[in-house]
């Protein structure tokens, strides 16, 4: 599957060639910062199939954490595009809202990090839920 996406201002664009290994919504506290308060809606793909095709993201890792997530976002408009958790080597996590067609991979299939879910977060009826990550 080949899709493209980019940030709100268009300065940074990426292309993905691969199948999703995970398609879900993450309720973790970190995602609440990145999304603005809601769960983040994400698809995980092998990072070998992901490349930037226009511009380059600013890359940020918290210096006060032992194993920080790498966060890639547009330095101009601030849109978060891709994250790379150290616990998932070789995986790039794409923010679905940055795809040209956010529906390209279909609807999220599971809710993860329910341990951090806020009372105002919505989980669709029948969606699989996990306290943290599956398995
Ligand atoms: Zn931008
Ligand atoms: Zn999260």
């Amino acid at each position: 599957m080949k899709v493209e996406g980019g940030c709100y201002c268009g300065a940074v664009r990426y292309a993905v060639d691969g199948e999703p290994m995970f398609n879900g919504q993450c309720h973790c506290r970190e995602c609440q910062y990145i999304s603005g308060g809601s769960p983040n809606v994400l698809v995980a793909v092998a990072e070998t199939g992901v490349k930037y095709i226009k511009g380059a993201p600013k890359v940020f890792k918290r210096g006060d954490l032992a194993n920080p997530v790498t966060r890639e976002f547009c330095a101009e408009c601030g849109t978060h595009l891709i994250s790379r958790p150290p616990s998932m080597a070789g995986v790039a996590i794409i923010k679905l809202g940055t795809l040209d067609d956010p529906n390209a991979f279909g609807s999220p299939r599971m809710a993860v990090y329910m341990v951090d879910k806020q009372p105002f977060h919505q989980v669709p009826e029948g969606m699989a839920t996990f306290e943290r990550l599956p398995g």
Side-chain angles (χ1 to χ4, degrees), residues 31-112:
C31 280
Q32 294 171 31
Y33 282 95
I34 305 302
S35 75
S38 295
N40 224 330
V41 189
L42 314 159
V43 64
V45 295
E47 66 182 356
T48 50
V50 178
K51 62 174 187 284
Y52 284 100
I53 53 174
K54 183 185 176 198
K58 183 165 172 63
V59 177
F60 175 77
K61 285 188 203 189
R62 268 178 63 168
D64 60 329
L65 300 176
N67 284 305
V69 172
T70 300
R71 301 187 181 280
E72 300 171 2
F73 59 96
C74 175
E76 291 297 319
C77 71
T79 304
H80 278 256
L81 299 161
I82 293 172
S83 58
R84 302 176 200 265
S87 58
M88 298 182 211
V91 170
I93 296 185
I94 315 280
K95 311 284 187 277
L96 275 196
T98 66
L99 292 170
D100 293 340
D101 174 9
N103 196 43
F105 291 106
S107 298
R109 295 186 186 95
M110 63 179 78
V112 299

Side-chain angles (χ1 to χ4, degrees), residues 108-130:
R109 295 186 186 95
M110 63 179 78
V112 299
Y113 280 95
M114 292 289 283
V115 65
D116 288 338
K117 178 183 171 295
Q118 299 297 339
F120 52 83
H121 286 174
Q122 305 294 319
V123 177
E125 187 80 33
M127 177 180 272
T129 60
F130 296 88

